[in-house]
Amino acid sequence: MSRTFGPTSAPPIPDPSVLEGVTAPTFAYLPDPSPLFARRAARFRHLAQNHPLSPYLTFLAGLSEAQHAAIAATPAPEPVEAAQVERARANEMPPLDRSHFTTDAAFDTLFERALAEATKIEQPEAARTALERVRMASDVARGEMIRNVLASSIPEEALAEHLYVAAALEVHFARLASQLDASRLVPVGDGVCPTCGGPPVGSLIVNWPTAHGARYCACALCGTLWNFVRVRCTACGSTAGIGYQEVEGGNGAVKAETCDTCHAYSKVFYLAQDDGLDPVADDVASLALDIKQKDGSYRRAAFNPFLLGY
Ligand SMILES: [Zn+2]
Ligand SMILES: [Zn+2]
């Protein structure tokens, strides 16, 4: 059974007879797609208030609303076969194989609907032109954009087009993920989503009653959250040479975890400081932290197709 994650739907309070710290945190939480995108839209709108990136954050709120509307208007995809899930588990592989992803009728319907919903967003002319290019793209060109997003490798000259493609893929993969059984997922590698094999957008230090202070990486594509060691590089797995930075005057809700082993950084979001945090929305809104790192010696390890060019 899938389970919503986040502060409004944290795991239930445990049996009080279970001593704190004795139970291991649940390994993974799968997304509940409809509330996920609705909540993200609301978060983008909230973050857009008095923010230097306000127009862009408002646009992304509209895009998240388009994702949410597309879910309501299209049938769910066929669930991944149980045998494939068990095969993946036996081989310590993610059950959703993004490198062999092929489109099907359910995805095509969703894609068209998501693009149609996106036309309703108020957006600058350049964005609207990019959206039209995606809508008019041949199957071959569309397939190439899909592969780019799934490979976390987006060409600089077509960032805007890929943003819409990523939005559709996020919905599709979140829906596939939501149909899985979280208890059948296994760790598949440092900084790798146990559901779809993708990189995290960042990680959350949660304040849930059952896992207070535990850390969960958040998948940029399918929305799975998976448990990760609190002080450890999500890019290379090193536990040595880890440091934390934040922008001047920050409230402690977002920090960059830097690694002196691989010279990468990724963002850590602290729900105790702000329990409305969304890893995707707050990643975009904390662009100042990425700009600060541009002059430093650490490269960004995380992937977020909405953080254009980073
Ligand atoms: Zn994933
Ligand atoms: Zn590292």
Side-chain angles (χ1 to χ4, degrees):
M1 197 184 79
S2 66
R3 180 184 239 170
T4 313
F5 57 75
T8 55
S9 53
I13 295 169
D15 178 344
S17 66
V18 177
L19 290 175
E20 200 180 330
V22 171
T23 49
T26 300
F27 171 56
Y29 290 102
L30 294 166
D32 191 349
S34 186
L36 172 73
F37 293 106
R39 206 166 48 230
R40 184 166 296 160
R43 181 63 179 176
F44 270 124
R45 288 217 183 276
H46 170 76
L47 292 166
Q49 296 163 19
N50 303 317
H51 195 290
L53 294 176
S54 187
Y56 185 54
L57 295 172
T58 302
F59 164 74
L60 290 177
L63 191 61
S64 303
E65 281 154 7
Q67 290 174 300
H68 179 248
I71 291 173
T74 57
E78 282 293 312
V80 177
E81 285 178 17
Q84 185 183 325
V85 175
E86 291 310 311
R87 223 173 15 249
R89 178 182 164 87
N91 293 303
E92 295 180 3
M93 298 284 284
L96 304 184
D97 184 357
R98 56 162 69 204
S99 59
H100 292 99
F101 174 73
T102 50
T103 61
D104 56 16
F107 178 76
D108 290 341
T109 304
L110 166 72
F111 199 9
E112 293 303 335
R113 186 63 191 223
L115 295 177
E117 292 292 337
T119 62
K120 300 174 187 170
I121 309 169
E122 200 177 308
Q123 52 199 308
E125 205 44 48
R128 191 167 291 285
T129 307
L131 174 57
E132 282 312 308
R133 273 200 292 273
V134 179
R135 294 187 81 191
M136 297 297 146
S138 66
D139 287 349
V140 173
R142 199 175 273 198
E144 195 173 330
M145 288 191 279
I146 288 169
R147 279 192 298 280
N148 289 339
V149 172
L150 295 178
S152 310
S153 172
I154 298 179
E156 288 270 338
E157 67 279 8
L159 294 170
E161 286 87 339
H162 284 76
L163 186 146
Y164 300 103
V165 177
L169 284 167
E170 284 174 7
V171 172
H172 186 69
F173 274 80
R175 282 174 129 182
L176 288 172
S178 73
Q179 296 164 336
L180 298 171
D181 176 352
S183 71
R184 303 307 291 163
L185 297 173
V186 289
V188 297
D190 274 318
V192 181
C193 173
T195 299
C196 77
V201 64
S203 57
L204 298 165
I205 306 297
V206 304
N207 59 348
W208 303 331
T210 48
H212 196 86
R215 183 185 192 188
Y216 282 86
C217 286
C219 179
L221 180 71
C222 78
T224 295
L225 296 182
W226 71 97
N227 188 234
F228 198 76
V229 173
R230 176 81 185 247
V231 180
R232 179 185 173 109
C233 174
T234 59
C236 77
S238 175
T239 52
I242 303 294
Y244 294 89
Q245 299 182 7
E246 70 175 313
V247 290
E248 216 168 295
N251 65 353
V254 187
K255 292 179 186 169
E257 183 183 72
T258 58
C259 171
D260 287 338
T261 302
C262 71
H263 301 284
Y265 75 92
S266 68
K267 289 179 191 165
V268 187
F269 303 97
Y270 297 80
L271 287 177
Q273 308 300 323
D274 184 347
D275 64 8
L277 279 164
D278 174 88
V280 172
D282 284 84
D283 183 33
V284 181
S286 57
L287 176 68
L289 198 47
D290 301 282
I291 292 171
K292 178 179 155 86
Q293 294 302 328
K294 274 217 153 169
D295 308 328
S297 54
Y298 304 103
R299 67 179 167 82
R300 183 177 154 94
F303 178 69
N304 185 348
F306 298 162
L307 202 55
L308 301 177
Y310 279 85

